[in-house]
Amino acid sequence: MKLKNVKISIIGAGFVGATTTYALMLGGLCEELVIVDINKDKAIGEAMDISHGAAFVKPVKVISGTYEDTKDSDIVIITAGAAQKPGESRLDLVNKNISIFKSLIPEIVKYSPDSILLVVSNPVDILSYVTYKLSGFPRERVIGSGTVLDTSRFRTLLAEYLDVDARSIHGYIIGEHGDSEIAAWSLTNIAGVNLEEYVRITEQGKGDLSFMEYIPMSVKNAAYEMINTKGYTNYAIALAVRRICEAITGDEKAILTVSSLMDGEYGLNGLYIGIPSVVGKEGIRKVIEVPLTDKEREDFISSAKKMKEIIDDSAL
Ligand code: NAD
């Protein structure tokens, strides 16, 4: 993709879509932002509100519009979709969102055939695969937000507990963005030191390792907790999406746990799942086959198989 005069479109002007647009505007990483929603008034209002901050940020045009207005976008972010209702199964939600994606992906592809598609709607790993199939785009140009957000939550909670900057913690949540995700402890380190060793050296928490149990649980339950309190999540996911866009527009070759197509990696095929991948201007440049412990690998494969089963049972 081009690295100048970048245009990003956001499909869905709900909590996530609107906050993502705002985060992108603050980030100053593009010249044009277009918001599309089936609820036109919502898109109009959000674009108007965000655009009125133009005097405080780098020049950027923020508009609402139709798919035609998204023409020649460099990145299209998909946040549209139905949310899970009480009594509705995950598969019901999958099929509902597949039907929404069947209507919007052809429109996106028609106007931006060279774009990178960034899927955020849930279940994100399933809908990333659906987008890959429906768009006909090469694998590198269809990216899911994967466990980028979960990884940030993980590093944030570890940072609070260990009293170091979250940016100095190297560690990943891998697998499904959801209940079967895995904290890859064997890859997690501070200053190149694994966490058991770090706690021993620094005497942080008097050597108590129970955080290795409850922090991954807190990460897994974070979305449920926010949905039970504020009703939705929007800020951290918007920053996670901005981080992915930044890696693309800056051709950073950054390592992010985006949801990537498995094409033989880890012995897996035909599904998307969160795993450290190199992200740059082409999208996903490379999926990294990180060395995992036997247990981590087993859990990762089992998480991936769950994704495959849902895809196979879906109405795709
Ligand atoms: P929301 O209900 O506030 O917004 C969804 C928007 O999509 C609505 O404005 C709706 O009008 C629009 N929409 C529905 N059908 C459409 C269509 N056919 N075309 C265009 N627009 C359409 O929901 P939200 O809180 O913004 O969440 C959006 C999605 O993001 C959900 O699927 C949510 O689960 C997901 N999410 C993902 C992550 C992640 O880490 N991947 C984090 C948070 C939320």
Side-chain angles (χ1 to χ4, degrees):
M1 69 156 250
K2 62 181 173 11
L3 300 177
K4 276 193 172 162
N5 297 321
V6 173
K7 175 172 177 176
I8 302 182
S9 293
I10 300 94
I11 315 301
F15 293 111
V16 174
T19 316
T20 296
T21 309
Y22 181 60
L24 291 172
M25 185 217 209
L26 294 182
L29 45 99
C30 60
E31 279 67 30
E32 197 174 349
L33 286 159
V34 182
I35 313 178
V36 178
D37 198 291
I38 200 163
N39 178 346
K40 288 200 177 74
D41 285 344
K42 176 87 167 104
I44 289 170
E46 295 293 3
M48 191 186 284
D49 193 1
I50 295 168
S51 70
H52 288 171
F56 309 116
V57 294
K58 277 168 72 175
V60 58
K61 186 172 151 194
V62 185
I63 61 160
S64 63
T66 61
Y67 286 100
E68 208 172 336
D69 297 301
T70 67
K71 190 173 181 330
D72 297 331
S73 292
D74 297 288
I75 304 174
V76 180
I77 302 167
I78 307 163
T79 74
Q84 200 161 351
K85 295 216 171 82
E88 196 173 45
S89 78
R90 211 160 70 146
L91 199 57
D92 289 338
L93 180 69
V94 168
N95 287 333
K96 210 188 258 184
N97 280 336
I98 287 178
S99 131
I100 292 175
F101 273 48
K102 279 183 177 166
S103 71
L104 58 83
I105 300 294
E107 291 295 310
I108 296 170
V109 169
K110 179 168 151 197
Y111 292 106
S112 301
D114 300 320
S115 60
I116 290 173
L117 306 180
L118 175 49
V119 182
V120 184
S121 310
N122 274 322
V124 68
D125 303 290
I126 306 297
L127 292 177
S128 301
Y129 183 75
V130 167
T131 301
Y132 166 69
K133 287 310 253 186
L134 294 176
S135 65
F137 280 12
R139 65 184 288 198
E140 62 270 21
R141 286 202 284 118
V142 180
I143 308 177
S145 60
T147 48
V148 175
L149 169 61
D150 317 64
T151 293
S152 172
R153 286 176 176 150
F154 182 56
R155 291 169 61 192
T156 304
L157 296 181
L158 281 174
E160 279 167 14
Y161 180 71
L162 298 171
D163 201 22
V164 286
D165 187 342
R167 293 169 301 178
S168 297
I169 296 175
H170 304 280
Y172 308 102
I173 298 286
I174 59 171
E176 173 197 9
H177 168 61
D179 296 340
S180 67
E181 67 186 27
I182 301 122
W185 286 114
S186 65
L187 304 173
T188 306
N189 72 80
I190 299 175
V193 182
N194 75 49
L195 290 204
E196 286 183 36
E197 186 67 2
Y198 183 83
V199 166
R200 198 186 59 76
I201 298 169
T202 59
E203 295 178 2
Q204 189 75 30
K206 299 191 174 61
D208 177 6
L209 294 178
S210 59
F211 73 93
M212 296 179 85
E213 288 288 327
Y214 69 74
I215 286 185
M217 285 310 291
S218 303
V219 171
K220 215 174 276 190
N221 292 329
Y224 295 120
E225 210 175 314
M226 280 175 271
I227 287 164
N228 284 337
T229 49
K230 64 181 269 190
Y232 52 88
T233 69
N234 58 327
Y235 296 111
I237 179 60
L239 289 173
V241 174
R242 177 176 118 177
R243 180 71 197 94
I244 300 167
C245 289
E246 213 169 47
I248 298 168
T249 60
D251 192 22
E252 287 183 12
K253 304 173 182 83
I255 306 284
L256 297 170
T257 48
V258 287
S259 195
S260 299
L261 179 77
M262 293 294 105
D263 189 19
E265 293 88 357
Y266 301 89
L268 298 166
N269 279 291
L271 63 107
Y272 266 70
I273 196 146
I275 193 75
S277 305
V278 184
V279 181
K281 71 177 184 335
E282 306 85 350
I284 297 172
R285 290 171 61 96
K286 191 183 284 200
V287 171
I288 307 172
E289 286 212 51
V290 284
L292 298 168
T293 63
D294 288 349
K295 173 78 172 87
E296 287 166 350
R297 193 178 173 94
E298 194 183 300
D299 290 348
F300 176 68
I301 304 275
S302 147
S303 180
K305 285 190 172 155
K306 281 195 182 113
M307 301 303 97
K308 184 80 179 135
E309 276 165 27
I310 296 172
I311 291 165
D312 291 345
D313 289 348
S314 76
L316 177 61

Short mmCIF file of all heavy atoms in Angstrom, two decimals, residues 10-19 36-40 42-43 67 78-84 93 97 99-101 103-104 119-125 127 144-150 153 177 223 227 231-238 240-241, ligand 1:
data_model
loop_
_atom_site.label_atom_id
_atom_site.label_comp_id
_atom_site.label_asym_id
_atom_site.label_seq_id
_atom_site.Cartn_x
_atom_site.Cartn_y
_atom_site.Cartn_z
N ILE A 10 -13.85 3.02 7.90
CA ILE A 10 -14.31 2.26 9.06
C ILE A 10 -15.76 1.88 8.80
O ILE A 10 -16.61 2.75 8.60
CB ILE A 10 -14.20 3.08 10.36
CG1 ILE A 10 -12.73 3.48 10.61
CG2 ILE A 10 -14.72 2.32 11.57
CD1 ILE A 10 -12.36 4.81 10.10
N ILE A 11 -16.02 0.58 8.77
CA ILE A 11 -17.39 0.10 8.55
C ILE A 11 -17.98 -0.23 9.92
O ILE A 11 -17.46 -1.09 10.63
CB ILE A 11 -17.43 -1.15 7.63
CG1 ILE A 11 -16.51 -0.97 6.41
CG2 ILE A 11 -18.86 -1.46 7.21
CD1 ILE A 11 -16.80 0.19 5.50
N GLY A 12 -19.04 0.47 10.27
CA GLY A 12 -19.64 0.33 11.60
C GLY A 12 -19.26 1.53 12.44
O GLY A 12 -18.08 1.77 12.70
N ALA A 13 -20.27 2.33 12.82
CA ALA A 13 -20.03 3.55 13.60
C ALA A 13 -20.52 3.38 15.03
O ALA A 13 -20.97 4.34 15.66
CB ALA A 13 -20.73 4.74 12.93
N GLY A 14 -20.46 2.14 15.52
CA GLY A 14 -20.88 1.88 16.91
C GLY A 14 -19.78 2.31 17.88
O GLY A 14 -18.93 3.14 17.55
N PHE A 15 -19.81 1.73 19.08
CA PHE A 15 -18.82 2.09 20.10
C PHE A 15 -17.39 1.89 19.59
O PHE A 15 -16.54 2.76 19.75
CB PHE A 15 -19.03 1.25 21.36
CG PHE A 15 -20.32 1.57 22.06
CD1 PHE A 15 -21.36 0.65 22.09
CD2 PHE A 15 -20.50 2.81 22.67
CE1 PHE A 15 -22.54 0.95 22.73
CE2 PHE A 15 -21.70 3.11 23.31
CZ PHE A 15 -22.73 2.17 23.33
N VAL A 16 -17.14 0.73 18.98
CA VAL A 16 -15.78 0.42 18.54
C VAL A 16 -15.40 1.24 17.30
O VAL A 16 -14.31 1.82 17.24
CB VAL A 16 -15.65 -1.10 18.26
CG1 VAL A 16 -14.30 -1.44 17.66
CG2 VAL A 16 -15.87 -1.89 19.55
N GLY A 17 -16.31 1.32 16.34
CA GLY A 17 -16.01 2.05 15.10
C GLY A 17 -15.74 3.53 15.36
O GLY A 17 -14.77 4.10 14.84
N ALA A 18 -16.60 4.15 16.16
CA ALA A 18 -16.45 5.60 16.41
C ALA A 18 -15.18 5.87 17.22
O ALA A 18 -14.42 6.79 16.90
CB ALA A 18 -17.67 6.11 17.16
N THR A 19 -14.92 5.05 18.24
CA THR A 19 -13.72 5.29 19.08
C THR A 19 -12.45 5.02 18.28
O THR A 19 -11.44 5.71 18.45
CB THR A 19 -13.77 4.43 20.36
OG1 THR A 19 -15.09 4.51 20.91
CG2 THR A 19 -12.79 4.92 21.39
N VAL A 36 -18.76 4.43 7.56
CA VAL A 36 -19.98 3.93 6.91
C VAL A 36 -20.77 3.10 7.94
O VAL A 36 -20.17 2.30 8.66
CB VAL A 36 -19.62 3.01 5.71
CG1 VAL A 36 -20.88 2.44 5.06
CG2 VAL A 36 -18.78 3.74 4.68
N ASP A 37 -22.06 3.31 8.00
CA ASP A 37 -22.90 2.47 8.87
C ASP A 37 -24.26 2.33 8.21
O ASP A 37 -24.72 3.25 7.50
CB ASP A 37 -23.05 3.12 10.26
CG ASP A 37 -23.53 2.12 11.32
OD1 ASP A 37 -24.70 1.67 11.24
OD2 ASP A 37 -22.74 1.79 12.22
N ILE A 38 -24.89 1.20 8.46
CA ILE A 38 -26.24 0.98 7.93
C ILE A 38 -27.18 2.03 8.55
O ILE A 38 -28.15 2.46 7.92
CB ILE A 38 -26.68 -0.47 8.22
CG1 ILE A 38 -27.81 -0.89 7.32
CG2 ILE A 38 -27.01 -0.70 9.67
CD1 ILE A 38 -28.02 -2.40 7.26
N ASN A 39 -26.85 2.44 9.76
CA ASN A 39 -27.56 3.53 10.42
C ASN A 39 -26.86 4.84 10.02
O ASN A 39 -25.88 5.27 10.65
CB ASN A 39 -27.50 3.30 11.94
CG ASN A 39 -28.17 4.40 12.73
OD1 ASN A 39 -28.47 5.47 12.20
ND2 ASN A 39 -28.39 4.14 14.01
N LYS A 40 -27.35 5.44 8.93
CA LYS A 40 -26.66 6.60 8.33
C LYS A 40 -26.52 7.76 9.31
O LYS A 40 -25.49 8.43 9.35
CB LYS A 40 -27.41 7.06 7.08
CG LYS A 40 -27.27 6.10 5.91
CD LYS A 40 -27.59 6.83 4.58
CE LYS A 40 -27.41 5.94 3.39
NZ LYS A 40 -28.45 4.91 3.21
N LYS A 42 -26.25 7.74 12.50
CA LYS A 42 -25.20 7.47 13.51
C LYS A 42 -23.83 7.83 12.89
O LYS A 42 -23.01 8.50 13.52
CB LYS A 42 -25.27 5.99 13.91
CG LYS A 42 -24.19 5.53 14.86
CD LYS A 42 -24.57 5.77 16.31
CE LYS A 42 -23.64 5.02 17.27
NZ LYS A 42 -22.66 5.87 17.92
N ALA A 43 -23.61 7.39 11.65
CA ALA A 43 -22.33 7.67 10.98
C ALA A 43 -22.17 9.18 10.77
O ALA A 43 -21.08 9.74 10.99
CB ALA A 43 -22.28 6.92 9.65
N TYR A 67 -20.49 3.22 0.55
CA TYR A 67 -19.33 2.42 0.12
C TYR A 67 -18.58 3.13 -1.02
O TYR A 67 -17.36 3.02 -1.12
CB TYR A 67 -19.76 1.01 -0.27
CG TYR A 67 -20.07 0.21 0.97
CD1 TYR A 67 -21.39 0.01 1.38
CD2 TYR A 67 -19.06 -0.29 1.76
CE1 TYR A 67 -21.67 -0.69 2.55
CE2 TYR A 67 -19.33 -0.99 2.93
CZ TYR A 67 -20.63 -1.18 3.31
OH TYR A 67 -20.90 -1.86 4.48
N ILE A 78 -13.28 -3.30 9.71
CA ILE A 78 -14.67 -3.76 9.81
C ILE A 78 -15.05 -3.97 11.27
O ILE A 78 -14.52 -4.86 11.94
CB ILE A 78 -14.88 -5.04 8.99
CG1 ILE A 78 -14.38 -4.80 7.55
CG2 ILE A 78 -16.36 -5.43 8.98
CD1 ILE A 78 -14.16 -6.06 6.76
N THR A 79 -15.94 -3.10 11.76
CA THR A 79 -16.41 -3.20 13.15
C THR A 79 -17.93 -3.40 13.17
O THR A 79 -18.54 -3.37 14.23
CB THR A 79 -16.07 -1.92 13.96
OG1 THR A 79 -16.95 -0.87 13.55
CG2 THR A 79 -14.64 -1.49 13.78
N ALA A 80 -18.52 -3.57 12.00
CA ALA A 80 -19.99 -3.72 11.92
C ALA A 80 -20.39 -5.10 12.37
O ALA A 80 -19.62 -6.05 12.28
CB ALA A 80 -20.45 -3.50 10.48
N GLY A 81 -21.62 -5.21 12.84
CA GLY A 81 -22.12 -6.52 13.17
C GLY A 81 -23.12 -6.50 14.30
O GLY A 81 -23.30 -5.48 14.96
N ALA A 82 -23.73 -7.64 14.47
CA ALA A 82 -24.71 -7.77 15.56
C ALA A 82 -23.98 -8.23 16.81
O ALA A 82 -22.99 -8.94 16.73
CB ALA A 82 -25.75 -8.81 15.16
N ALA A 83 -24.47 -7.82 17.95
CA ALA A 83 -23.89 -8.28 19.21
C ALA A 83 -24.70 -9.47 19.71
O ALA A 83 -25.86 -9.63 19.34
CB ALA A 83 -23.90 -7.14 20.23
N GLN A 84 -24.06 -10.29 20.56
CA GLN A 84 -24.73 -11.48 21.08
C GLN A 84 -25.89 -11.08 22.00
O GLN A 84 -25.73 -10.22 22.85
CB GLN A 84 -23.73 -12.32 21.87
CG GLN A 84 -24.15 -13.75 22.04
CD GLN A 84 -22.97 -14.65 22.41
OE1 GLN A 84 -21.83 -14.23 22.38
NE2 GLN A 84 -23.28 -15.88 22.74
N LEU A 93 -24.82 -16.25 16.48
CA LEU A 93 -24.19 -14.95 16.23
C LEU A 93 -23.27 -15.04 15.01
O LEU A 93 -23.26 -14.14 14.16
CB LEU A 93 -23.38 -14.52 17.46
CG LEU A 93 -22.68 -13.17 17.33
CD1 LEU A 93 -23.68 -12.02 17.30
CD2 LEU A 93 -21.69 -12.94 18.47
N ASN A 97 -23.70 -12.75 11.70
CA ASN A 97 -22.63 -11.87 11.21
C ASN A 97 -22.09 -12.31 9.86
O ASN A 97 -21.69 -11.47 9.05
CB ASN A 97 -21.52 -11.73 12.26
CG ASN A 97 -21.92 -10.72 13.33
OD1 ASN A 97 -22.74 -9.84 13.10
ND2 ASN A 97 -21.36 -10.84 14.52
N SER A 99 -23.93 -13.45 7.54
CA SER A 99 -24.89 -12.90 6.57
C SER A 99 -24.66 -11.39 6.39
O SER A 99 -24.73 -10.88 5.25
CB SER A 99 -26.28 -13.31 7.01
OG SER A 99 -27.15 -12.25 7.03
N ILE A 100 -24.32 -10.67 7.45
CA ILE A 100 -23.98 -9.23 7.32
C ILE A 100 -22.71 -9.07 6.47
O ILE A 100 -22.66 -8.24 5.56
CB ILE A 100 -23.81 -8.59 8.72
CG1 ILE A 100 -25.15 -8.54 9.46
CG2 ILE A 100 -23.18 -7.21 8.63
CD1 ILE A 100 -25.10 -8.02 10.89
N PHE A 101 -21.71 -9.92 6.72
CA PHE A 101 -20.45 -9.83 5.97
C PHE A 101 -20.67 -10.16 4.49
O PHE A 101 -20.00 -9.60 3.64
CB PHE A 101 -19.38 -10.74 6.60
CG PHE A 101 -18.61 -10.06 7.71
CD1 PHE A 101 -19.27 -9.36 8.71
CD2 PHE A 101 -17.23 -10.11 7.76
CE1 PHE A 101 -18.57 -8.72 9.74
CE2 PHE A 101 -16.52 -9.46 8.77
CZ PHE A 101 -17.18 -8.78 9.77
N SER A 103 -23.08 -9.27 2.81
CA SER A 103 -23.59 -8.08 2.12
C SER A 103 -22.52 -6.98 2.04
O SER A 103 -22.45 -6.26 1.05
CB SER A 103 -24.85 -7.55 2.83
OG SER A 103 -24.52 -6.98 4.08
N LEU A 104 -21.65 -6.86 3.04
CA LEU A 104 -20.74 -5.72 2.98
C LEU A 104 -19.36 -5.98 2.36
O LEU A 104 -18.77 -5.07 1.76
CB LEU A 104 -20.62 -5.04 4.36
CG LEU A 104 -20.16 -5.79 5.61
CD1 LEU A 104 -18.66 -5.87 5.70
CD2 LEU A 104 -20.73 -5.09 6.83
N VAL A 119 -10.24 -6.89 10.26
CA VAL A 119 -11.50 -7.33 10.88
C VAL A 119 -11.41 -7.20 12.40
O VAL A 119 -10.44 -7.66 13.01
CB VAL A 119 -11.81 -8.80 10.49
CG1 VAL A 119 -13.14 -9.25 11.09
CG2 VAL A 119 -11.82 -8.97 8.98
N VAL A 120 -12.44 -6.56 12.98
CA VAL A 120 -12.50 -6.38 14.43
C VAL A 120 -13.76 -7.03 15.01
O VAL A 120 -13.77 -7.49 16.15
CB VAL A 120 -12.46 -4.87 14.78
CG1 VAL A 120 -12.42 -4.66 16.29
CG2 VAL A 120 -11.27 -4.17 14.12
N SER A 121 -14.84 -7.10 14.21
CA SER A 121 -16.12 -7.66 14.68
C SER A 121 -15.92 -9.08 15.21
O SER A 121 -15.10 -9.84 14.68
CB SER A 121 -17.13 -7.71 13.53
OG SER A 121 -17.21 -6.48 12.88
N ASN A 122 -16.70 -9.43 16.20
CA ASN A 122 -16.59 -10.76 16.81
C ASN A 122 -17.61 -11.75 16.27
O ASN A 122 -18.68 -11.34 15.85
CB ASN A 122 -16.81 -10.63 18.33
CG ASN A 122 -15.52 -10.30 19.04
OD1 ASN A 122 -14.47 -10.80 18.67
ND2 ASN A 122 -15.61 -9.47 20.06
N PRO A 123 -17.28 -13.04 16.31
CA PRO A 123 -16.02 -13.63 16.76
C PRO A 123 -14.92 -13.38 15.72
O PRO A 123 -15.03 -13.85 14.57
CB PRO A 123 -16.32 -15.11 16.90
CG PRO A 123 -17.59 -15.35 16.14
CD PRO A 123 -18.28 -14.06 15.91
N VAL A 124 -13.90 -12.63 16.13
CA VAL A 124 -12.98 -12.04 15.15
C VAL A 124 -12.20 -13.08 14.34
O VAL A 124 -11.97 -12.88 13.15
CB VAL A 124 -12.04 -11.01 15.83
CG1 VAL A 124 -11.07 -11.67 16.79
CG2 VAL A 124 -11.31 -10.18 14.81
N ASP A 125 -11.82 -14.21 14.97
CA ASP A 125 -11.04 -15.20 14.22
C ASP A 125 -11.89 -15.85 13.12
O ASP A 125 -11.42 -16.09 12.01
CB ASP A 125 -10.49 -16.27 15.19
CG ASP A 125 -9.64 -15.63 16.27
OD1 ASP A 125 -8.55 -15.15 15.95
OD2 ASP A 125 -10.10 -15.58 17.43
N LEU A 127 -14.67 -14.47 11.74
CA LEU A 127 -15.05 -13.48 10.73
C LEU A 127 -13.85 -13.05 9.86
O LEU A 127 -14.02 -12.62 8.73
CB LEU A 127 -15.72 -12.28 11.38
CG LEU A 127 -17.11 -12.60 11.98
CD1 LEU A 127 -17.69 -11.38 12.69
CD2 LEU A 127 -18.09 -13.11 10.92
N GLY A 144 -6.99 -10.07 11.14
CA GLY A 144 -7.93 -9.93 12.25
C GLY A 144 -7.21 -9.25 13.41
O GLY A 144 -5.99 -9.40 13.55
N SER A 145 -7.97 -8.53 14.23
CA SER A 145 -7.30 -7.86 15.37
C SER A 145 -6.80 -8.90 16.37
O SER A 145 -5.95 -8.59 17.21
CB SER A 145 -8.23 -6.84 16.03
OG SER A 145 -9.39 -7.48 16.51
N GLY A 146 -7.30 -10.14 16.27
CA GLY A 146 -6.74 -11.26 17.02
C GLY A 146 -6.63 -11.01 18.51
O GLY A 146 -7.57 -10.52 19.15
N THR A 147 -5.44 -11.35 19.06
CA THR A 147 -5.23 -11.17 20.50
C THR A 147 -4.32 -9.97 20.78
O THR A 147 -3.63 -9.94 21.79
CB THR A 147 -4.65 -12.46 21.12
OG1 THR A 147 -3.57 -12.90 20.29
CG2 THR A 147 -5.68 -13.57 21.21
N VAL A 148 -4.34 -8.99 19.88
CA VAL A 148 -3.53 -7.77 20.11
C VAL A 148 -4.05 -7.07 21.37
O VAL A 148 -3.26 -6.63 22.22
CB VAL A 148 -3.59 -6.83 18.88
CG1 VAL A 148 -2.86 -5.52 19.16
CG2 VAL A 148 -2.96 -7.52 17.66
N LEU A 149 -5.37 -6.99 21.51
CA LEU A 149 -5.96 -6.36 22.70
C LEU A 149 -5.67 -7.20 23.95
O LEU A 149 -5.26 -6.65 24.98
CB LEU A 149 -7.47 -6.21 22.49
CG LEU A 149 -8.31 -5.82 23.71
CD1 LEU A 149 -7.87 -4.47 24.25
CD2 LEU A 149 -9.79 -5.78 23.35
N ASP A 150 -5.88 -8.51 23.87
CA ASP A 150 -5.65 -9.40 25.01
C ASP A 150 -4.18 -9.32 25.46
O ASP A 150 -3.89 -9.34 26.66
CB ASP A 150 -5.98 -10.85 24.63
CG ASP A 150 -7.27 -10.93 23.84
OD1 ASP A 150 -7.31 -10.38 22.71
OD2 ASP A 150 -8.24 -11.51 24.32
N ARG A 153 -3.75 -6.22 27.42
CA ARG A 153 -4.31 -6.40 28.77
C ARG A 153 -3.33 -7.20 29.63
O ARG A 153 -3.09 -6.86 30.79
CB ARG A 153 -5.66 -7.14 28.69
CG ARG A 153 -6.78 -6.27 28.16
CD ARG A 153 -8.09 -7.05 28.01
NE ARG A 153 -9.16 -6.17 27.59
CZ ARG A 153 -10.20 -6.54 26.85
NH1 ARG A 153 -10.31 -7.79 26.43
NH2 ARG A 153 -11.14 -5.67 26.53
N HIS A 177 -9.33 -15.17 20.13
CA HIS A 177 -9.70 -14.00 20.93
C HIS A 177 -10.99 -14.41 21.65
O HIS A 177 -12.09 -14.23 21.15
CB HIS A 177 -9.92 -12.78 20.03
CG HIS A 177 -10.58 -11.63 20.73
ND1 HIS A 177 -10.02 -11.01 21.82
CD2 HIS A 177 -11.76 -11.01 20.53
CE1 HIS A 177 -10.83 -10.06 22.25
NE2 HIS A 177 -11.91 -10.04 21.48
N ALA A 223 -13.37 -8.66 29.16
CA ALA A 223 -14.48 -8.18 28.33
C ALA A 223 -15.81 -8.42 29.03
O ALA A 223 -16.68 -7.54 29.06
CB ALA A 223 -14.47 -8.85 26.96
N ILE A 227 -18.53 -5.63 29.98
CA ILE A 227 -19.89 -5.72 29.43
C ILE A 227 -20.91 -5.71 30.57
O ILE A 227 -21.95 -5.07 30.48
CB ILE A 227 -20.03 -6.93 28.47
CG1 ILE A 227 -19.27 -6.60 27.18
CG2 ILE A 227 -21.49 -7.27 28.17
CD1 ILE A 227 -18.95 -7.74 26.28
N GLY A 231 -21.15 -2.05 29.74
CA GLY A 231 -22.02 -2.52 28.66
C GLY A 231 -21.34 -2.83 27.34
O GLY A 231 -21.92 -3.45 26.45
N TYR A 232 -20.10 -2.42 27.19
CA TYR A 232 -19.36 -2.65 25.94
C TYR A 232 -17.89 -2.33 26.21
O TYR A 232 -17.56 -1.85 27.30
CB TYR A 232 -19.88 -1.72 24.80
CG TYR A 232 -19.90 -0.27 25.22
CD1 TYR A 232 -18.78 0.54 25.06
CD2 TYR A 232 -21.02 0.27 25.83
CE1 TYR A 232 -18.79 1.86 25.49
CE2 TYR A 232 -21.02 1.59 26.26
CZ TYR A 232 -19.91 2.37 26.09
OH TYR A 232 -19.92 3.67 26.53
N THR A 233 -17.01 -2.60 25.25
CA THR A 233 -15.61 -2.17 25.39
C THR A 233 -15.27 -1.35 24.15
O THR A 233 -15.73 -1.68 23.05
CB THR A 233 -14.63 -3.36 25.50
OG1 THR A 233 -14.59 -4.03 24.24
CG2 THR A 233 -15.04 -4.35 26.58
N ASN A 234 -14.53 -0.30 24.31
CA ASN A 234 -14.21 0.52 23.13
C ASN A 234 -12.83 1.16 23.14
O ASN A 234 -12.17 1.21 22.11
CB ASN A 234 -15.27 1.59 22.90
CG ASN A 234 -15.47 2.53 24.06
OD1 ASN A 234 -15.33 2.14 25.23
ND2 ASN A 234 -15.82 3.77 23.78
N TYR A 235 -12.33 1.62 24.29
CA TYR A 235 -11.10 2.42 24.25
C TYR A 235 -9.85 1.58 23.91
O TYR A 235 -9.11 1.92 22.99
CB TYR A 235 -10.89 3.14 25.58
CG TYR A 235 -11.97 4.16 25.86
CD1 TYR A 235 -12.90 3.95 26.87
CD2 TYR A 235 -12.08 5.31 25.08
CE1 TYR A 235 -13.90 4.87 27.11
CE2 TYR A 235 -13.08 6.22 25.31
CZ TYR A 235 -14.00 6.01 26.33
OH TYR A 235 -15.00 6.91 26.56
N ALA A 236 -9.62 0.51 24.68
CA ALA A 236 -8.39 -0.27 24.45
C ALA A 236 -8.42 -0.95 23.08
O ALA A 236 -7.37 -1.04 22.42
CB ALA A 236 -8.20 -1.28 25.57
N ILE A 237 -9.60 -1.41 22.64
CA ILE A 237 -9.65 -2.05 21.31
C ILE A 237 -9.34 -1.00 20.23
O ILE A 237 -8.64 -1.29 19.26
CB ILE A 237 -11.00 -2.78 21.04
CG1 ILE A 237 -11.01 -3.41 19.62
CG2 ILE A 237 -12.21 -1.90 21.21
CD1 ILE A 237 -9.94 -4.41 19.35
N ALA A 238 -9.82 0.23 20.44
CA ALA A 238 -9.53 1.29 19.46
C ALA A 238 -8.02 1.54 19.38
O ALA A 238 -7.46 1.72 18.29
CB ALA A 238 -10.26 2.58 19.84
N ALA A 240 -5.72 -0.67 20.12
CA ALA A 240 -5.12 -1.88 19.52
C ALA A 240 -5.23 -1.79 17.99
O ALA A 240 -4.28 -2.09 17.27
CB ALA A 240 -5.83 -3.13 20.04
N VAL A 241 -6.39 -1.33 17.51
CA VAL A 241 -6.59 -1.21 16.05
C VAL A 241 -5.66 -0.12 15.50
O VAL A 241 -5.04 -0.28 14.44
CB VAL A 241 -8.07 -0.90 15.73
CG1 VAL A 241 -8.26 -0.63 14.24
CG2 VAL A 241 -8.96 -2.07 16.16
P1 NAD B 1 -22.27 -1.59 18.20
O1 NAD B 1 -23.53 -2.35 18.23
O2 NAD B 1 -22.14 -0.35 19.03
O3 NAD B 1 -21.89 -1.19 16.70
C1 NAD B 1 -22.11 -2.01 15.60
C2 NAD B 1 -22.48 -1.10 14.45
O4 NAD B 1 -22.56 -1.90 13.27
C3 NAD B 1 -23.84 -0.41 14.64
O5 NAD B 1 -23.68 0.99 14.56
C4 NAD B 1 -24.69 -0.96 13.49
O6 NAD B 1 -25.60 -0.04 12.97
C5 NAD B 1 -23.60 -1.34 12.48
N1 NAD B 1 -24.03 -2.30 11.46
C6 NAD B 1 -24.79 -3.42 11.63
N2 NAD B 1 -24.99 -4.02 10.44
C7 NAD B 1 -24.34 -3.28 9.52
C8 NAD B 1 -24.17 -3.40 8.12
N3 NAD B 1 -24.73 -4.40 7.42
N4 NAD B 1 -23.46 -2.45 7.49
C9 NAD B 1 -22.90 -1.43 8.17
N5 NAD B 1 -23.03 -1.26 9.49
C10 NAD B 1 -23.73 -2.19 10.16
O7 NAD B 1 -21.12 -2.62 18.61
P2 NAD B 1 -19.63 -2.26 19.09
O8 NAD B 1 -19.59 -2.23 20.56
O9 NAD B 1 -19.12 -1.11 18.28
O10 NAD B 1 -18.87 -3.59 18.65
C11 NAD B 1 -18.68 -3.84 17.27
C12 NAD B 1 -18.04 -5.22 17.08
O11 NAD B 1 -16.70 -5.21 17.59
C13 NAD B 1 -18.78 -6.34 17.84
O12 NAD B 1 -18.80 -7.50 17.04
C14 NAD B 1 -17.89 -6.55 19.06
O13 NAD B 1 -18.05 -7.84 19.60
C15 NAD B 1 -16.53 -6.35 18.42
N6 NAD B 1 -15.42 -6.11 19.34
C16 NAD B 1 -14.26 -6.73 19.03
C17 NAD B 1 -13.15 -6.58 19.86
C18 NAD B 1 -11.87 -7.28 19.49
O14 NAD B 1 -10.92 -7.34 20.28
N7 NAD B 1 -11.79 -7.85 18.31
C19 NAD B 1 -13.23 -5.76 21.00
C20 NAD B 1 -14.44 -5.11 21.26
C21 NAD B 1 -15.54 -5.30 20.43
#
